[in-house]
Each structure stands twice: as C-alpha cells, then as structure tokens.
Amino acid sequence: MDSIILAIESSCDDTSAAVIRNGHILSNVTATQAVHTAYGGVVPELASRAHQSNIIPIVSEALIRANIHKSALNAVAFTQGPGLLGALLVGTSFAKAMAIGLGIPLITVNHMQAHILAHFIEEPRPEFPFLCLTVSGGHTEIVLVKSAMEMDVIGRTQDDAAGEAFDKTAKLLGLPYPGGPQIDQHARTGDANAYRFPGTDMPGLDFSFSGIKTAFMYFLRKAEKEDPGFITRNMADICASIQHTIIGMLMKKLMQAASETGIKNIGIAGGVSANSGLRETLIVTAGQHNWNVFIPDFEYCTDNAAMIAMAAHYKYLANDFSDLSVSPKPRMAI
Ligand code: KG4
Ligand code: ZN
C-alpha cells in the first residue's frame, strides 16, 4: 500500500513543506524569510509571524506540485525540534490541525536527524554505519549513524556552531545575514593563506569556535586602525582565510573520528555543508584517505521539508506515530 506523507518544517527562518510517496520526494517548497536581513540575524517573533502567513500557501503549493489531494495523505509530519519555540509552534499546530481534520496519524521529526537523513533523498545513499559531520547555524556535531533511527553524537561544539562562526565573522566584515553564503562567495577569488587565525583545539572530537571569532575581531580592529579601508580592499583574501581556518578545524576532527572508528563512509549535512570550500576539501581528503563521501544536493543542505519527509518516511515504516498531546522541543538532542 502507498504511504503518502506531508511534512512541515518551521524550526527557524524557512517555512517549508514537502510531500513524499513511498520514500520518493514529490515536492519540496520553501519560503525563506527575508524580513530578518535588516536585523543582521533571526528575530524569533518575526519568524513566528512569517511562518503563520507562509504556512498555508506553502503547504498548498507542495500539494499542488506533488499532484496530491489532501484526502490522499496517510500521515502528516512536522519538525518537533530543535529550533525556536514560537517558530516550531506554528508547524506543530498546523500539523496537528491537519491530522485531526483528515483523521490521519501525526509523526514528529528531529530536525538534526532529518539533516542527516537528507542523504537518503537521492542516490548514492550511504551504507551504515557512516560518519556525518552535521554543521548548521545552531549545531556542529560528528554523528555516528548506525541506522536511520540510531545515531550517536561522538563530537560536538562546546560553544558556537560552525554556521554561527561564519555568520558572526561575516557580520564583523559588514556583510549581510546570513553570512555563510556571503563568505563562501567572496572566498572564491581570495587567497586562503593570506592571513592566519589561531583556531582553538579541543580535547577528543569536540569543537570550539568562540576563540576564533574573538581573534578575528581583534585582527580586524587592529588592521583597520593601522590601515583604514583594509577590510574593503582585502575582502576576498580575508573571507578565504577565515573560511579555510573554519574548514581546517572541522576536517581535523572529522579525520580523527574516521581514524578512531575505522569508518570510511563519510557524509556532511546541514546549512554549512553547502559551503563550496568544505565540499571541495572533503572530496580532496576523501581521495587521500580512501573515503566514500556523501554530499547532499544544495537544495537539501539548508533547511527544507524534504529531509523532514524522509525522516518521517522511516518513522512511518516503523509505525512510530505521536499522539495529539506532543509539544515542540526547542532543545531536542539527536
Ligand atoms: O541548516 P541551516 O539552514 O539552518 C539551521 O538549522 O541552523 O543552516 C544555516 C547556517 C547559517 O549559519 C548559514 O550561514 C550557513 O548555514 N550556510 C553556509 C552556507 N550556506 C548556508 N555557511 C557557509 N557557506 C555556505 N555556502
Ligand atoms: Zn537546519
């Protein structure tokens, strides 16, 4: 029998809906909220309001593009967490209302697990076990993925996430939010070895990105004071150098994790996995270490409901449904 699931993502500043049939994505529609750009970061209350106005048109569009009538749905899934409480509440309430109205089961999805399961949307799909460097605006983790539902976090950041490091350094450079794609863009024409920044080395497989942000801030202040206009004139080299440093910190721990576990199936997931420097470095490193690498399509790296739908598909197969009393979990662990 067919399983047709509608999935909703509303954890941060993207309102997204997707339809999946028997594990194949039929549609994936996302509205990115431009309202936050003026504030240099996501404003939680504005995010909730934008989700409220986006959610009906986005869900309708996802159903139309999938050519699925809502009466054909077998389940409705939503991101339960982690994320912003008010933003999550919009998706949660909407999914619950659809489940009641249509008399279909409800499926809760962990956003970070879903980022990892984005690898199963398209070929080639990784074999288990695999290691996944999960790098987003709120998380930086090395995850040992044993199956679609069994995941162990074996390394994590002790302070800022990698995406935050990109966004905060971009802000110091006067670049608009979100800064990650901006740094990526400028870095393409810059010299990655023009400047060196000291990255903090943490014990084991953990990360720390707060030190580099501070070192970067002092470097820019001093350079700009001694040589006004330094930032504008050297934007490409500065971006290439900071990006190179962040990637180096990520790759060091990923290589350590691969050597400690002996696992050669390696994936990346989350918004920062859209970074062209990280993608290239991963491919080069894979060649040197005989890894099989898995890099999701750009569309499935940053927040999207297709990955929520993929995670929901596995939960549907496992009969893992939730009752209507579930609430959002802003700080949900993998
Ligand atoms: O996964 P995501 O879309 O949302 C969260 O779950 O946080 O990740 C957003 C993060 C932001 O910090 C953004 O700057 C970063 O991913 N990002 C990038 C790139 N595209 C998005 N960072 C570096 N290079 C990129 N190309
Ligand atoms: Zn995300």
Side-chain angles (χ1 to χ4, degrees):
M1 213 193 77
D2 263 4
S3 78
I4 308 179
I5 307 168
L6 168 72
I8 295 165
E9 155 64 29
S10 74
S11 65
C12 191
D13 59 346
D14 293 298
T15 317
S16 187
V19 178
I20 189 167
R21 178 166 57 201
N22 303 331
H24 298 285
I25 297 294
L26 300 181
S27 65
N28 179 40
V29 184
T30 304
T32 299
Q33 305 175 357
V35 62
H36 308 288
T37 313
Y39 300 90
V42 178
V43 184
E45 182 52 33
L46 294 181
S48 314
R49 287 187 217 170
H51 283 307
Q52 276 178 330
S53 41
N54 288 343
I55 197 151
I56 292 176
I58 288 295
V59 167
S60 307
E61 185 66 26
L63 289 168
I64 290 168
R65 284 198 205 173
N67 201 17
I68 293 290
H69 190 266
K70 59 182 186 301
S71 59
L73 295 173
N74 300 109
V76 56
F78 67 97
T79 303
Q80 187 182 18
L84 301 167
L85 177 59
L88 290 166
L89 259 173
V90 178
T92 307
S93 315
F94 193 87
K96 282 187 191 179
M98 282 203 77
I100 296 170
L102 298 169
I104 54 175
L106 195 60
I107 299 173
T108 57
V109 171
N110 179 310
H111 181 88
M112 298 313 294
Q113 281 189 355
H115 267 302
I116 294 170
L117 294 174
H119 283 106
F120 294 86
I121 295 175
E122 287 177 339
E123 299 280 351
R125 299 182 171 89
E127 269 178 35
F128 299 112
F130 70 95
L131 290 178
C132 190
L133 175 68
T134 311
V135 272
S136 71
H139 291 77
T140 298
E141 291 167 346
I142 297 177
V143 184
L144 171 55
V145 189
K146 297 175 183 164
S147 73
M149 291 296 138
E150 266 179 299
M151 303 183 186
D152 293 338
V153 179
I154 58 172
R156 56 177 63 74
T157 182
Q158 296 294 342
D159 40 57
D160 291 351
E164 243 175 315
F166 272 105
D167 294 340
K168 287 179 177 172
T169 48
K171 201 170 182 174
L172 293 169
L173 292 168
L175 298 172
Y177 179 86
Q182 299 279 330
I183 294 203
D184 191 350
Q185 194 60 36
H186 286 283
R188 282 164 209 243
T189 52
D191 172 6
N193 294 308
Y195 309 104
R196 296 202 177 270
F197 307 107
T200 316
D201 198 10
M202 297 296 285
L205 296 173
D206 285 351
F207 303 92
S208 165
F209 290 101
S210 67
I212 181 148
K213 177 191 65 194
T214 314
F216 189 66
M217 183 180 75
Y218 286 120
F219 164 82
L220 290 182
R221 266 193 206 162
K222 187 165 176 279
E224 195 61 36
K225 198 173 165 197
E226 288 170 0
D227 178 14
F230 170 85
I231 295 179
T232 318
R233 279 196 313 277
N234 299 286
M235 189 61 94
D237 286 352
I238 301 172
C239 287
S241 301
I242 191 70
Q243 176 171 299
H244 177 72
T245 310
I246 296 171
I247 293 172
M249 291 166 78
L250 293 170
M251 290 307 300
K252 178 169 188 275
K253 296 294 174 154
L254 187 57
M255 284 191 282
Q256 190 180 329
S259 114
E260 283 176 12
T261 59
I263 295 176
K264 289 190 178 289
N265 292 328
I266 314 278
I268 49 172
V272 180
S273 64
N275 183 269
S276 54
L278 178 59
R279 293 164 92 94
E280 280 158 26
T281 310
L282 188 67
I283 291 165
V284 171
T285 313
Q288 292 161 345
H289 291 82
N290 250 335
W291 292 349
N292 307 311
V293 285
F294 300 90
I295 304 178
D297 224 52
F298 282 110
E299 184 188 355
Y300 304 127
C301 287
T302 48
D303 288 350
N304 67 89
M307 67 184 197
I308 306 300
M310 201 65 233
H313 166 72
Y314 287 110
K315 292 190 90 170
Y316 186 92
L317 293 179
N319 273 319
D320 189 351
F321 302 114
S322 295
D323 64 46
L324 291 164
S325 64
V326 287
S327 34
K329 287 191 183 165
R331 265 181 267 284
M332 195 176 188
I334 271 185

